[in-house]
Amino acid sequence: MRAAIRIVLALAIILLGYLLLESIMKPIRFNKERVKRERETISRLEDIRTAQVAFKDKYGRYTGSFDSLITFVKYDSFPVVRAIGSIPDSLYLEGMTESEAIKLGLIIRDTMYVSVLDSIFSVRYPIDSLRYVPFSDTAQFFLGATEIETASKVRVKVFEAHVINDILLHGMDRQLIINYNADQFPRLACGISGGTHQQCRKLGVT
């Protein structure tokens, strides 16, 4: 009987030790995975911002559509003007300018077109994944674009992309997500407001 009691007590001690260790390790594992997901998500948000800046450079506005943004990056191009030829040293020393050399035919300007994808990322960049939140199967970022009026009555074009923590941390411990949302801003966002690049960071819900 005493042997059985000792066995039960030993098992209870082992169980309590495991539960104590697990209560310590669970938040550690959660934070490690959270940091990894946030890092990857911020990188993706920065890529969205890069694509939006390129889109605005060409069309004078941002887009609130991932279909339009991805199609632009995949298939559109930028014009690049290059100069063919040069000013001879003797004429350069005499003060000849490039515009004068162009008039004399010494330099020819030629326009070529460069792929947007190759210009801002690389041809191997998985552009079709731009809309998706990392570590999720089908969850997409929110993307919005509009025009606002500043306090000085100047109208500026802005955009924002963001994801809420409930999506970003999907599949992780629910109670720890609730605790994290209570202590931190509940979304990661990136955008441009008033012509100023926002750092991709945690924001409150608006």
Side-chain angles (χ1 to χ4, degrees):
M1 185 69 178
R2 290 180 179 178
I5 293 174
R6 285 197 295 268
I7 292 173
V8 171
L9 288 175
L11 291 175
I13 291 171
I14 293 172
L15 177 61
L16 288 174
Y18 170 78
L19 293 175
L20 177 61
L21 179 62
E22 183 65 12
S23 69
I24 296 172
M25 294 304 299
K26 185 182 289 186
I28 294 175
R29 290 194 297 267
F30 175 85
N31 285 326
K32 183 177 180 180
E33 178 67 15
R34 173 187 59 79
V35 169
K36 181 176 74 172
R37 292 191 184 195
E38 287 181 349
R39 186 181 296 117
E40 290 290 327
T41 301
I42 287 173
S43 178
R44 184 70 55 82
L45 285 167
E46 289 172 343
D47 289 345
I48 293 171
R49 182 177 62 193
T50 297
Q52 283 278 31
V53 170
F55 188 94
K56 184 175 182 292
D57 284 344
K58 182 152 189 179
Y59 295 108
R61 61 180 177 83
Y62 300 113
T63 177
S65 164
F66 271 115
D67 288 338
S68 298
L69 188 62
I70 291 171
T71 297
F72 162 73
V73 175
K74 285 178 71 173
Y75 302 115
D76 217 324
S77 59
F78 290 128
V80 177
V81 179
R82 61 175 181 171
I84 301 174
S86 62
I87 302 174
D89 291 342
S90 58
L91 297 177
Y92 178 78
L93 293 174
E94 292 177 5
M96 175 176 283
T97 64
E98 184 175 296
S99 59
E100 291 172 337
I102 291 174
K103 291 179 181 178
L104 293 174
L106 298 174
I107 295 177
I108 300 173
R109 289 192 177 276
D110 182 42
T111 301
M112 59 183 296
Y113 291 87
V114 179
S115 162
V116 173
L117 179 61
D118 197 30
S119 297
I120 63 176
F121 298 123
S122 74
V123 292
R124 295 183 179 180
Y125 183 86
I127 189 61
D128 288 318
S129 298
L130 190 66
R131 70 175 77 223
Y132 297 114
V133 178
F135 303 99
S136 70
D137 294 329
T138 58
Q140 298 187 26
F141 290 100
F142 165 84
L143 182 64
T146 188
E147 188 175 278
I148 62 173
E149 187 175 277
T150 65
S152 56
K153 304 300 181 182
V154 177
R155 298 197 66 81
V156 294
K157 294 174 175 60
V158 299
F159 90 90
E160 180 179 289
H162 75 248
V163 58
I164 60 174
N165 287 340
D166 287 348
I167 293 176
L168 173 63
L169 305 178
H170 177 72
M172 299 174 65
D173 188 277
R174 182 59 191 163
Q175 185 57 53
L176 291 177
I177 294 174
I178 293 172
N179 296 344
Y180 183 67
N181 283 338
D183 295 334
Q184 300 287 334
F185 295 117
R187 65 180 175 137
L188 277 177
C190 195
I192 294 181
S193 178
T196 302
H197 287 219
Q198 293 178 3
Q199 182 180 2
C200 297
R201 63 193 190 280
K202 299 169 187 175
L203 292 177
V205 174
T206 57

